[in-house]
Amino acid sequence: MSDPLLEVRDLRTWFFRRDGLSRAVDGVSFDVAEGETVGIVGESGCGKSVTALSLLGLHPSPPGRVMEGSSVRLRGEELVGADPSRLREIRGRDVGMIFQEPAAALDPVRPVRVQVAEALVVHGRGSWRAALPRSDELLAEVGLGDVARVGRAYPHQLSGGMCQRAMIAMAVACEPALLIADEPTTALDATVQGQILDLLGGLRARRRMSMLLITHDLGVVAEMCDRVLVMYAGRIVETGTVDQLLDDPRHPYTVGLLDSLPDAGHAGGRLRPIGGSVPPSTAWPTGCRFRDRCPHAMPRCRSEPDLAVPGEGRHVRCWLAETPSGGAGA
Amino acid sequence: MQSLPRGHLSRYALRRILGAVPLVLGISTLLFFVVNLAPGDPASYLISPGMSAEVVERIRTSFGLDDPVPVRYLKWLGSVASGDLGQSFSQGRPVVDVLASALPATLLLSGVALVLSFMIGTVIGALQAARHRTAVDSTLSFFTLFFYSMPSFWLALMMMLVFSYAASTLWGWPIWFPASGIQGADYEALSALGKLRDRGMHLVLPAASLSLVMMGGIARFARGSMLETIRQDFIRTARAKGVPERAVLFRHALRNALIPLVTLLGLYLPILFAGTIFVEEIFAWPGMGRTVVGAIQARDYPLVMGGGLLFAALVVIGNLVADLLYAFVDPRVRYD
Amino acid sequence: MSGTTETRARLGGARALAGLLLPGTAQIVRGQWAAGLASVTLWVALITTAVWRRGRLIDAWTAGWDQRLAAAGLLAGLAAVWMWGWWSARREASARAGTGRLHQMARALAADPTALAGIWVVGAICLVALLAPLISPFDPNVQGSLVAERFLPPSRAHLLGTDNLARDVFSRLLYGARVSLTIGLLAVAVSVTIGTLVGAVAGYLGGWVDAVVMRIVDTFLAFPRLVLLITIVALFDPGTLLVVAVLGLTLWPSTARLVRAEVLALRRRDFILAAEALGFSRRRVVFGHLVPNALGPIIVAATLGIGDTIVLEAGLSFLGLGVQAPTASWGSMVDAGRANLLGAWWIATFPGLAIVGTVLAFNLVGDGLRDALDPRFRA
Ligand SMILES: Nc1ncnc2c1ncn2[C@@H]1O[C@H](COP(=O)(O)OP(=O)(O)O)[C@@H](O)[C@H]1O
Ligand SMILES: [Mg+2]
């Protein structure tokens, strides 16, 4: 098996805040293979965005810091502690990123086509003069066909969906090998969400990109991803292929997420939201962090299980998962 | 989506100018009543105890002081509207002439100070934001707060003491700056280049005093505005696409942080003119500030009112310019 | 069980005793450094002054009002520190944890070293202003020999030299603090009161009241304030009361604008809607609910406004339009130094430094308060 494109090992990003130490990301490990789409799901506040930002050193700092012992490798090259200028080269060229609030993510005082062109210029893909026509082509590729009008427009003159398309054009301008999408459709209308996902799917196929897709929508995961990581309280609690996870969830948290889907065929379509909410990141519980919301909590949960391995490529951080027959979803 | 041409700039400008009319009217009203409700009417300063009642009456009539205050107010408004600000007692010339001869010097001084203070202040504030929470930031914070807390008249005196008097007589520095006036006594005899140099040397201390004091406040504001901008999502986007840090700061952050600074420009004009009053007085700069202070000491009512009105008009015009500039730097502003 | 209560009672007694002997020690023992050090310092300063100037303290009662006030202030200060030290020593520490927004603000302020430094300086200047008649080495207004004692440079006898009328600059500086602080504080009190009233009413009522008020506010803000000030002051007869009134009556528009904005933002909040739904009177809604909730920004603006006002007052005095001679004020002292700037640099320099120091201190406190309200931009 060839080396994965992205290897993340024991990533810990902590925020040293006035109100205490926030261990927003606390020991996360995963791989993304070439051409693969990996989803990260979890409620908000679980550390998904911080994970994504930390990969390229984009987390707010101060107060955030990627702690010693963390490792992020892109095609074998270590990125944690890498030279800032080297990181800058990789950003946008090897790894593109898009975000949740497309309208806020664009510079309000510059026309959209200039912002797309900038992505090309900073990576030496030609002068401004050459980059502007190329940026019009890219805008056309993401479905902003009326380029003459849209390209010269400022972000506030475009709808949210159009802004997100422009962001995508910007992120894929230099043909990155990996696209990180942090809740790309959360802020958009339902109809637009589908269009954006289609666009991403098409681009991924045409350019053979890998994708890291962050979402809290399991429907999006089912549609787009090959593999899924479930995050809770700064840690990965379960991983597996999409089919494994949706058909046979093992961690009580994953089960809870699936059960709270209104249209899940699973569990007879009954809506059973998880009780309580994610604790503040400055006060994760000790032991299993899901303990106080878990319907199956037991004395043993006061110590945290390792990411247990019940089967091929599957990992579950739960004591229940160790006994092969005793799946928590039962 | 909006169509791209953003309305008509000229119509927008016209509407803003018309909107400023009530403001000018309000200011002139305020000024008129302050001057006319003060104890002792303008004529009382021209009247000496020995004068006959007849003469006194004639003086009063000649100033129109026989009319009731509202009538006088309307008359005054009428003459102001027609550009007649009356006759200056102390200088024996029309107020308009006096102000017209003082205006250029004030515009030169305050213009230079305004440009300098905004440039230096913005750069310092941006630097602080870029080095947020470092020793550079806190040192510069103290430095800007120090000048922000300083009265301009004292700074002007200290400048004069150090860079003019002490530098020339006490320490014998090779370069020192003249302490008073707008040009040297031998100005007319100088070559064109020499004239320029002479003017420049005379400008240094007054402009430096004025701009240092203003620079403090501007830098403080610029720092806040930059910090606010740097936290926004589009800065993260710029970094995520690999834009070098310096370009992130200057091309994206500073450009956006400048937008609220344009509003500050309008708000700073009254402070600027307050500063010119002191600085002109101290450096004997023949501008409006000095004229107004002299007029107040001489109880030259028409000149006081005219000067106040002109200062206010400059502020209003400056605010209009700031508004138009705002529309220019912020594409989100629509002209209709 | 009874053993621990007994120990605690004995400890409490010991603390109370310590608090009685040297106010502040009890707080320090308990770990309340800021409060403890403040008490101790204040106590030591007052006692030292009382002992050092005991002669003047006794004479004060037969001298003028100035002296009597200073002496009474010193004694009252001593008594207050004493009683507070004793009282707070007896209290349990836990009783102090307030939860309101203003309490939180105070606590954040106490954690900010630069703001604390500002508070210390402000406190020291207030103390100096209060005690000026007791501590100043010379009478600030008595002229020495114009031949022998004019323009004396700083020395042991005259710490900051003498001025053009052979008066002691240091003594005048101490007395000048009274003018600056009194006028600064009074004028800001006047303007904040008016501004809060006007802004709250305009913001709450809206409609044409708001429109008219904001027009007036805009007019004031567009007018160069100093021009207005010097015009008014020059036309009336200058004097302390006039300066306070005029400063106060021209500063309120910015407070009014601030309060109005706060009120407009608060109006839409649930608790105001609830108060209205309960049928509270308008007056009760505005002054019982809106204004108290806008208090934080008002306090910040007021603190920063004190600095501005002190600078303005000094400017008026510098132009000869402020407090009238011979009363010492920092602005007029700077003006006095203009005539012989090079030969007697100390006359203009030191009062200017006093202004900068005082204003800087108030601004530090104001910045600290603002950060305590909105901690995003801490330096
Ligand atoms: N800039 C920041 N400063 C301090 N703490 C932060 C910051 N950003 C995120 N955090 C902390 O990290 C936690 C995880 O945030 P995030 O990754 O945004 O969650 P998610 O994307 O899963 O909703 C948050 O609960 C918050 O406490
Ligand atoms: Mg997120």
Side-chain angles (χ1 to χ4, degrees):
Chain A
M1 204 177 102
S2 66
D3 279 344
L5 174 69
L6 180 77
E7 269 180 288
V8 179
R9 290 293 171 270
D10 198 24
L11 178 66
R12 284 176 300 142
T13 308
W14 293 0
F15 290 94
F16 295 81
R17 304 196 310 209
R18 264 164 205 280
D19 60 342
L21 175 63
S22 147
R23 291 177 295 171
V25 176
D26 201 20
V28 164
S29 305
F30 64 92
D31 290 345
V32 179
E34 299 269 5
E36 189 186 29
T37 297
V38 174
I40 303 185
V41 293
E43 292 162 285
S44 44
C46 284
K48 307 182 299 291
S49 299
V50 175
T51 303
L53 291 171
S54 314
L55 298 179
L56 294 176
L58 289 168
H59 55 284
S61 162
R65 214 158 84 200
V66 173
M67 304 305 293
E68 208 143 305
S70 309
S71 162
V72 175
R73 286 169 185 272
L74 185 72
R75 294 200 185 100
E77 181 185 353
E78 179 62 58
L79 300 185
V80 172
D83 197 47
S85 65
R86 177 65 192 145
L87 271 181
R88 187 185 76 62
E89 277 171 25
I90 290 170
R91 292 176 192 154
R93 194 190 64 188
D94 301 302
V95 183
M97 257 185 120
I98 59 179
F99 302 102
Q100 177 170 351
E101 291 285 344
L106 290 167
D107 188 333
V109 302
R110 254 165 250 280
V112 166
R113 76 198 284 255
V114 174
Q115 299 189 49
V116 177
E118 191 185 22
L120 295 161
V121 173
V122 294
H123 292 297
R125 306 283 164 97
S127 62
W128 281 101
R129 177 184 277 243
L132 284 170
R134 171 75 189 121
S135 113
D136 292 341
E137 287 170 35
L138 283 161
L139 286 171
E141 188 183 349
V142 297
L144 295 176
D146 193 355
V147 172
R149 216 158 56 109
V150 173
R152 284 178 175 75
Y154 291 91
H156 73 276
Q157 293 166 314
L158 303 179
S159 69
M162 292 167 106
C163 286
Q164 194 60 295
R165 285 172 190 270
M167 278 296 291
I168 292 171
M170 195 162 29
V172 301
C174 297
E175 272 124 31
L178 173 67
L179 180 69
I180 302 176
D182 185 357
E183 313 219 19
T185 58
T186 306
L188 304 176
D189 294 343
T191 49
V192 184
Q193 285 187 4
Q195 295 168 11
I196 297 289
L197 290 177
D198 287 348
L199 171 64
L200 285 174
L203 279 170
R204 175 181 62 181
R206 254 172 292 154
R207 304 192 171 201
R208 281 186 225 93
M209 280 188 302
S210 301
M211 254 173 78
L212 185 61
L213 179 63
I214 295 172
T215 175
H216 57 238
D217 183 347
L218 285 165
V220 171
V221 168
E223 193 179 326
M224 302 283 296
C225 298
D226 304 315
R227 274 191 319 117
V228 192
L229 319 169
V230 181
M231 257 188 104
Y232 184 77
R235 288 174 166 272
I236 292 177
V237 294
E238 179 164 9
T239 71
T241 64
V242 170
D243 294 340
Q244 286 172 335
L245 231 100
L246 295 184
D247 296 342
D248 178 22
R250 296 283 178 81
H251 196 286
Y253 181 59
T254 317
V255 174
L257 284 180
L258 281 169
D259 280 353
S260 51
L261 273 185
D263 55 354
H266 188 83
R270 250 192 320 132
L271 212 62
R272 273 186 295 157
I274 315 172
S277 56
V278 186
S281 61
T282 45
W284 300 139
T286 54
C288 173
R289 293 180 179 179
F290 190 55
R291 183 158 56 109
D292 41 5
R293 297 173 71 191
C294 182
H296 308 288
M298 47 191 180
R300 204 181 172 190
C301 299
R302 239 167 284 193
S303 69
E304 191 181 38
D306 288 334
L307 218 53
V309 185
E312 246 277 274
R314 287 216 65 182
H315 306 272
V316 184
R317 196 188 284 279
C318 181
W319 294 120
L320 289 172
E322 280 197 324
T323 41
S325 58
Chain B
M1 198 175 60
Q2 304 303 322
S3 61
L4 279 184
R6 293 180 291 150
H8 293 287
L9 183 58
S10 54
R11 238 194 292 158
Y12 175 77
L14 188 69
R15 233 190 0 262
R16 299 309 307 240
I17 290 170
L18 288 180
V21 168
L23 198 58
V24 175
L25 205 64
I27 289 170
S28 41
T29 308
L30 187 67
L31 203 60
F32 178 85
F33 283 102
V34 162
V35 170
N36 281 277
L37 295 182
D41 62 46
S44 59
Y45 295 98
L46 293 182
I47 297 166
S48 45
M51 284 179 181
S52 68
E54 205 177 321
V55 176
V56 170
E57 194 48 41
R58 201 141 25 91
I59 291 177
R60 290 184 57 85
T61 317
S62 75
F63 283 108
L65 293 172
D66 286 341
D67 300 328
V69 169
V71 174
R72 264 154 55 197
Y73 171 59
L74 289 178
K75 277 188 179 170
W76 184 69
L77 273 189
S79 57
V80 167
S82 65
D84 175 16
L85 295 176
Q87 194 81 5
S88 158
F89 304 159
S90 59
Q91 307 211 5
R93 290 195 290 160
V95 169
V96 176
D97 290 358
V98 178
L99 293 177
S101 61
L103 187 60
T106 293
L107 288 184
L108 175 68
L109 176 59
S110 49
V112 169
L114 196 66
V115 170
L116 273 184
S117 58
F118 265 83
M119 277 184 359
I120 303 174
T122 310
V123 168
I124 290 183
L127 190 71
Q128 283 183 272
R131 302 262 178 280
H132 186 35
R133 291 172 207 259
T134 63
V136 176
D137 182 22
S138 34
T139 313
L140 284 175
S141 275
F142 189 82
F143 172 77
T144 52
L145 189 65
F146 180 68
F147 282 107
Y148 178 72
S149 308
M150 191 175 284
S152 53
F153 61 88
W154 183 70
L155 179 62
L157 279 183
M158 290 300 112
M159 290 272 204
M160 184 189 258
L161 173 60
V162 173
F163 296 106
S164 183
Y165 294 165
S168 63
T169 58
L170 218 55
W171 303 324
W173 285 2
I175 296 181
W176 49 271
F177 301 97
S180 83
I182 193 171
Q183 58 195 35
D186 54 352
Y187 182 75
E188 292 307 330
L190 293 172
S191 66
L193 207 64
K195 278 183 178 166
L196 199 66
R197 187 177 171 280
D198 186 59
R199 274 285 159 92
M201 294 294 276
H202 279 84
L203 193 57
V204 169
L205 291 185
S209 315
L210 255 184
S211 37
L212 272 176
V213 171
M214 288 204 301
M215 173 278 292
I218 292 162
R220 281 158 56 86
F221 187 89
R223 173 177 179 269
S225 173
M226 259 312 250
L227 285 177
E228 180 85 60
T229 309
I230 284 176
R231 300 183 319 139
Q232 290 180 22
D233 283 3
F234 66 86
I235 296 297
R236 187 182 59 194
T237 304
R239 291 198 176 117
K241 68 183 171 186
V243 178
E245 194 58 27
R246 182 186 302 228
V248 171
L249 284 178
F250 286 94
R251 205 184 300 152
H252 294 279
L254 187 59
R255 173 68 175 74
N256 278 278
L258 281 177
I259 294 173
L261 266 164
V262 172
T263 319
L264 191 72
L265 183 84
L267 291 178
Y268 253 75
L269 290 177
I271 297 173
L272 174 70
F273 291 133
T276 53
I277 290 179
F278 290 114
V279 169
E280 287 183 3
E281 166 72 14
I282 288 170
F283 288 103
W285 190 266
M288 280 172 50
R290 193 154 173 260
T291 308
V292 169
V293 171
I296 285 173
Q297 277 155 4
R299 305 256 174 181
D300 185 346
Y301 285 73
L303 192 50
V304 171
M305 300 218 292
L309 208 55
L310 184 54
F311 268 128
L314 287 177
V315 171
V316 171
I317 291 170
N319 272 304
L320 277 177
V321 172
D323 265 357
L324 296 180
L325 210 58
Y326 194 96
F328 184 73
V329 295
D330 189 346
R332 283 162 296 189
V333 173
R334 293 180 47 221
Y335 297 142
D336 42 51
Chain C
M1 220 50 222
S2 69
T4 49
T5 4
E6 207 171 284
T7 328
R8 206 184 291 157
R10 205 178 300 148
L11 262 180
R15 270 207 309 257
L17 193 66
L20 211 54
L21 288 177
L22 184 53
T25 42
Q27 281 108 315
I28 292 179
V29 168
R30 197 191 282 152
Q32 295 166 352
W33 281 98
L37 278 180
S39 300
V40 171
T41 318
L42 191 58
W43 172 253
V44 170
L46 291 176
I47 281 284
T48 316
T49 314
V51 173
W52 173 45
R53 294 297 199 201
R54 54 188 178 281
R56 270 194 221 182
L57 197 56
I58 293 161
D59 294 343
W61 308 107
T62 53
W65 271 110
D66 261 12
Q67 279 82 351
R68 239 174 283 170
L69 195 70
L74 186 138
L75 295 182
L78 271 177
V81 177
W82 212 337
M83 271 168 56
W84 186 56
W86 183 62
W87 177 62
S88 68
R90 282 162 37 105
R91 247 180 348 158
E92 287 301 322
S94 57
R96 292 180 47 88
T99 48
R101 264 189 31 190
L102 292 181
H103 272 105
Q104 278 175 11
M105 206 161 128
R107 224 166 311 133
L109 198 65
D112 179 351
T114 44
L116 274 184
I119 293 176
W120 277 91
V121 175
V122 167
I125 295 169
C126 290
L127 201 62
V128 162
L130 180 72
L131 299 181
L134 290 178
I135 54 183
S136 74
F138 294 90
D139 186 315
N141 299 329
V142 164
Q143 304 177 5
S145 147
L146 285 185
V147 184
E149 289 169 325
R150 223 154 85 101
F151 296 133
L152 289 182
S155 65
R156 289 286 286 275
H158 296 280
L159 282 177
L160 303 180
T162 61
D163 69 3
N164 48 338
L165 297 177
R167 298 170 297 195
D168 181 51
V169 173
F170 182 61
S171 303
R172 289 181 68 73
L173 205 66
L174 297 184
Y175 274 85
R178 309 185 123 198
V179 172
S180 285
L181 286 182
T182 320
I183 294 184
L185 293 173
L186 280 181
V188 167
V190 170
S191 71
V192 165
T193 311
I194 300 178
T196 304
L197 282 174
V198 172
V201 170
Y204 186 71
L205 292 182
W208 66 268
V209 178
D210 186 39
V212 169
V213 168
M214 288 324 284
R215 274 284 109 170
I216 298 176
V217 165
D218 281 345
T219 307
F220 266 99
L221 291 180
F223 203 96
R225 186 159 166 233
L226 187 75
V227 176
L228 188 61
L229 281 175
I230 56 182
T231 313
I232 299 176
V233 177
L235 296 177
F236 293 80
D237 287 321
T240 312
L241 210 61
L242 178 72
V243 173
V244 169
V246 168
L247 284 171
L249 290 176
T250 52
L251 188 66
W252 65 266
S254 51
T255 315
R257 167 171 282 195
L258 175 97
V259 174
R260 171 180 175 269
E262 284 290 316
V263 165
L264 283 182
L266 284 169
R267 265 193 81 163
R268 284 179 251 293
R269 298 260 295 274
D270 290 342
F271 66 94
I272 299 298
L273 296 179
E276 281 172 343
L278 285 173
F280 285 10
S281 73
R282 283 171 170 187
R283 186 146 41 118
R284 180 136 171 225
V285 172
V286 172
F287 296 105
H289 297 269
L290 286 173
V291 170
N293 276 290
L295 218 52
I298 296 176
I299 292 174
V300 172
T303 313
L304 293 171
I306 294 174
D308 286 348
T309 309
I310 290 177
V311 169
L312 265 176
E313 181 278 320
L316 288 178
S317 297
F318 176 79
L319 293 175
L321 297 171
V323 175
Q324 293 302 290
T327 307
S329 104
W330 291 339
S332 57
M333 290 171 73
V334 173
D335 182 39
R338 278 176 76 184
N340 192 358
L341 191 57
L342 184 62
W345 54 270
W346 51 89
I347 303 177
T349 305
F350 294 115
L353 284 178
I355 300 171
V356 177
T358 309
V359 176
L360 190 74
F362 274 108
N363 284 337
L364 283 178
V365 179
D367 280 1
L369 283 168
R370 191 184 43 202
D371 288 347
L373 265 190
D374 177 10
R376 273 179 310 176
F377 302 132
R378 263 165 199 280

